């Protein structure tokens, strides 16, 4: 009887571990937290150099890719070189990549985030959102990481969130098709 209970407990623990790993690295079309809002909520944030940034940053580009991550997420960190490549392609298309590091509010974690960004060769902007911003409630509702959103010049979230790492060429190509569609629809308006 004791060995049966131990086996069941071990199997249950293994299932929980497998499911949690799958959620961190899985890519799907829909966010785990439910439907994506129509517009990204207003926010104030600080970039890793201490500069203030708001949702006005969206107006400067046809498309903004928002990658939501935290320092303890292995899938988030591992996809960064691919996001850097996407960031370079975005610059050619009037787009920008912005990382939102959820746990970079305190100085110690911000140092850890900067170390990760430097180690992964990330040059795109990364932000720590002010906890009093309207966006914080939305960010708190996200339950799977990384989560990546496409936001147009008007702050509208276009399509479903990508949940999980963007780590294959097929995923990158599909993602860039979505970016190209947004840029084409925008027509370079400013």
């Amino acid at each position: 009887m004791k060995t049966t209970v131990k086996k069941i407990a071990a199997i249950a623990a293994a299932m929980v571990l497998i499911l949690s790993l799958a959620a961190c690295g899985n890519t799907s079309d829909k966010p785990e937290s439910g439907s994506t809002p129509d517009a990204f909520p207003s926010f104030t944030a600080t970039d890793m150099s201490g500069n203030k940034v708001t949702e006005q940053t969206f107006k400067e580009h046809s498309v903004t890719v928002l990658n939501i991550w935290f320092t303890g997420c292995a899938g988030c960190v591992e996809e960064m070189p691919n996001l850097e490549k996407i960031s370079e392609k975005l610059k050619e298309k009037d787009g920008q990549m912005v990382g939102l590091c959820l746990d970079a509010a305190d100085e110690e974690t911000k140092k850890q985030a900067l170390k990760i960004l430097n180690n992964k060769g990330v040059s795109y902007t990364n932000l720590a959102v002010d906890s009093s911003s309207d966006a914080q409630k939305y960010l708190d509702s996200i339950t799977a990481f990384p989560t990546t959103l496409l936001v147009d010049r008007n702050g509208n979230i276009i399509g479903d969130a990508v949940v999980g790492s963007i780590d294959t060429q097929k995923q990158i190509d599909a993602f860039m098709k979505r970016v190209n569609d947004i840029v084409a629809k925008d027509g370079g308006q400013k």
Side-chain angles (χ1 to χ4, degrees), residues 72-190:
C73 172
C76 300
V77 174
E78 292 307 312
E79 82 169 339
M80 286 180 177
N82 286 331
L83 296 180
E84 183 65 26
K85 290 176 190 173
I86 292 171
S87 176
E88 292 304 314
K89 291 179 183 179
L90 288 169
K91 290 175 187 176
E92 299 167 8
K93 300 177 181 299
D94 188 33
Q96 69 176 336
M97 173 74 68
V98 175
L100 295 178
C101 184
L102 296 182
D103 60 348
D106 67 83
E107 283 305 310
E108 197 59 39
T109 310
K110 182 178 175 181
K111 287 178 188 175
Q112 184 180 1
L114 281 167
K115 184 177 178 180
I116 290 168
L117 294 168
N118 288 332
N119 287 342
K120 291 297 181 178
V122 171
S123 65
Y124 56 86
T125 301
N126 272 268
L127 307 173
V129 174
D130 184 328
S131 62
S132 65
S133 290
D134 292 341
Q136 191 61 51
K137 183 176 180 181
Y138 172 71
L139 295 172
D140 288 343
S141 73
I142 296 173
T143 59
F145 297 93
T147 293
T148 305
L149 305 171
L150 292 168
V151 181
D152 71 8
R153 182 181 306 282
N154 299 313
N156 297 312
I157 297 172
I158 306 299
D160 292 328
V162 176
V163 178
S165 299
I166 301 171
D167 53 9
T168 67
Q169 191 59 49
K170 183 177 178 182
Q171 291 169 323
I172 293 169
D173 292 345
F175 189 79
M176 288 307 296
K177 181 184 180 322
R178 290 177 61 191
V179 165
N180 291 336
D181 290 346
I182 295 167
V183 171
K185 186 175 180 181
D186 181 66
Q189 303 171 19
K190 290 208 176 192

